[in-house]
Amino acid sequence: MPSRPQSTKGRGARTNASGRFEPVMHEDFDDGWTDDDQTPAPLRTTLTPEHARTIITKNTSPDIGFDRSINPYKGCEHGCIYCYARPSHAYMGLSPGLDFESRLFFKPEGPRLLEQELIAPRYVCKRIHIGGNTDPYQPVERTQKITRGLLEVLQRFRQPFSIITKSNLITRDVDILGPMGRDGLASAFVSITTLDRDLARTMEPRAAAPARRLDAVKRLADAGVPVGVGFAPVIPGLNDHELEAVLEAAAKAGATTAMYVTLRLPLEITSLFQEWLADARPDRAARVMSLIRQTRGGKDYDANWNTRMKGTGPVADLIAARFRAAVKRYGLDGPRHVLDETQFRVPADARPQLELFG
């Protein structure tokens, strides 16, 4: 008999189904053990170095605000059940479920590769976004410090960048972010999905508590960093009622801009999210999925470039109207901070290496 998905303490996904590219599929089954029997060892996080050749990734997506980004890590220990990056683990023969949040990869040569790309004669300075896929400040960053190393390189080169996180760990690097923010070279977004501690703990099990994220907004703003809040994802019937409260709290903490994204459920995420929803919020699971489908033309997901971020239909239109009214009410509707690309320079200590390209 197939087993009922059970939560793993401290993890978001309930299951660890094989990736969609694998020739063999694995399925949990009921083997007769119960909660009264000895519990297996908890799922541990493993960390594997990835020896990449480049660190800056380029994209041509028409619905995101940057065309180049850096992701120091693959997989994310935060375990957010809705994470749109989960399906990428399937390309490595791993599960977008528990593997995604427990089998992580990091780029130890990231800072060196970044410097190598910035000194290339053909390099043209444009804003680089850090954390477009997985969080650059997830827990393993405390020991690996890959993100810290990248910021040090960006500071030396006066390379403008933006960064997004849901971790208070970003405040560790305020000594870099503050001066660069004041010079028009850095901006930050902090993702706050809910102010409900219980929902956050269940939905984003290893991310910072909501109050700690608001503290990050305040400390960044106090240091002179232009900081925005991302209410993302908006999940109709689950957290959408908090939209105004989250924006108000972020504005009081010092945020000056805001953005939102309606929940997306591509590929494996739809089954993972529905497993979690049935386990964590069984009383409202059916209604939440009904509302989600109303924003996606009756389907779990619609990947249309023009509408995938916000959705369509009356439910999506209402969310958009409420967001527009709230950002105006709380002063979060100012122009998006534009970073200065004219300050870029190759520092003197990097010029000997630059000569190797001659």
Side-chain angles (χ1 to χ4, degrees):
M1 292 178 59
S3 65
R4 179 178 180 274
Q6 298 291 321
S7 62
T8 300
K9 187 175 182 180
R11 299 294 181 178
R14 269 41 181 173
T15 56
N16 205 37
S18 302
R20 61 187 179 281
F21 301 111
E22 301 310 297
V24 178
M25 304 297 290
H26 299 275
E27 184 176 272
D28 292 337
F29 65 95
D30 184 357
D31 60 2
W33 296 107
T34 70
D35 292 341
D36 295 329
D37 296 301
Q38 185 176 358
T39 303
L43 184 66
R44 298 186 183 279
T45 298
T46 63
L47 195 60
T48 303
E50 178 184 333
H51 300 291
R53 295 183 178 181
T54 59
I55 193 68
I56 301 175
T57 300
K58 296 184 179 179
N59 75 84
T60 57
S61 174
D63 56 4
I64 56 178
F66 55 88
D67 66 358
R68 56 195 66 187
S69 60
I70 295 176
N71 289 286
Y73 303 97
K74 288 183 179 178
C76 186
E77 201 173 9
H78 282 159
C80 304
I81 191 58
Y82 52 72
C83 182
Y84 57 78
R86 283 183 177 274
S88 63
H89 248 46
Y91 290 104
M92 297 182 288
L94 299 173
S95 171
L98 291 170
D99 280 348
F100 174 80
E101 52 195 275
S102 64
R103 298 182 66 176
L104 312 180
F105 299 82
F106 72 105
K107 301 172 183 177
E109 297 297 312
R112 181 187 65 80
L113 291 172
L114 177 58
E115 179 167 333
Q116 190 175 77
E117 293 183 51
L118 294 182
I119 66 175
R122 294 184 180 180
Y123 178 75
V124 177
C125 176
K126 291 186 70 176
R127 172 173 69 104
I128 294 175
H129 183 68
I130 302 177
N133 200 41
T134 57
D135 202 306
Y137 285 106
Q138 57 182 288
V140 294
E141 168 63 16
R142 294 184 183 278
T143 55
Q144 298 304 314
K145 300 182 180 178
I146 307 299
T147 299
R148 172 75 188 191
L150 294 169
L151 296 191
E152 290 171 346
V153 174
L154 295 171
Q155 184 180 41
R156 286 175 52 230
F157 281 76
R158 308 289 288 174
Q159 164 67 49
F161 69 93
S162 55
I163 192 165
I164 187 168
T165 185
K166 56 185 60 166
S167 173
N168 188 271
L169 183 57
I170 190 174
T171 61
R172 177 200 65 186
D173 296 331
V174 75
D175 61 316
I176 296 176
L177 293 164
M180 292 193 74
R182 293 192 296 272
D183 289 345
L185 293 171
S187 62
F189 261 80
V190 177
S191 176
I192 304 176
T193 315
T194 178
L195 299 177
D196 183 331
R197 288 176 60 89
D198 178 62
L199 178 59
R201 190 58 157 169
T202 305
M203 188 167 61
E204 309 160 329
R206 296 197 176 192
R212 293 285 285 164
R213 300 186 214 181
L214 288 169
D215 175 70
V217 172
K218 184 178 187 308
R219 293 177 64 181
L220 290 169
D222 288 348
V225 184
V227 58
V229 60
F231 185 59
V234 181
I235 307 173
L238 190 62
N239 74 338
D240 59 317
H241 65 284
E242 295 188 73
L243 187 153
E244 290 82 2
V246 169
L247 296 186
E248 180 181 17
K252 288 180 178 178
T256 57
T257 58
M259 53 80 74
Y260 82 95
V261 176
T262 304
L263 179 67
R264 295 188 286 150
L265 296 176
L267 301 170
E268 292 92 348
I269 302 177
T270 185
S271 59
L272 290 167
F273 180 78
Q274 290 187 65
E275 285 175 353
W276 171 85
L277 191 61
D279 182 48
R281 294 293 187 272
D283 58 323
R284 66 181 74 179
R287 173 168 171 74
V288 169
M289 287 309 303
S290 174
L291 291 170
I292 290 171
R293 290 173 183 132
Q294 289 177 52
T295 70
R296 303 296 179 184
K299 300 180 291 184
D300 287 356
Y301 183 57
D302 179 4
N304 185 289
W305 286 113
N306 299 315
T307 59
R308 65 177 186 149
M309 293 297 189
K310 300 294 190 290
T312 59
V315 174
D317 292 344
L318 178 59
I319 293 171
R322 288 173 54 201
F323 179 81
R324 288 193 298 268
V327 295
K328 183 176 181 179
R329 182 184 313 143
Y330 302 122
L332 297 169
D333 59 343
R336 189 64 57 85
H337 188 75
V338 178
L339 301 180
D340 185 0
E341 297 172 354
T342 67
Q343 297 185 47
F344 176 83
R345 67 169 187 265
V346 177
D349 61 356
R351 292 191 178 278
Q353 187 176 353
L354 178 60
E355 294 173 0
L356 297 176
F357 289 87

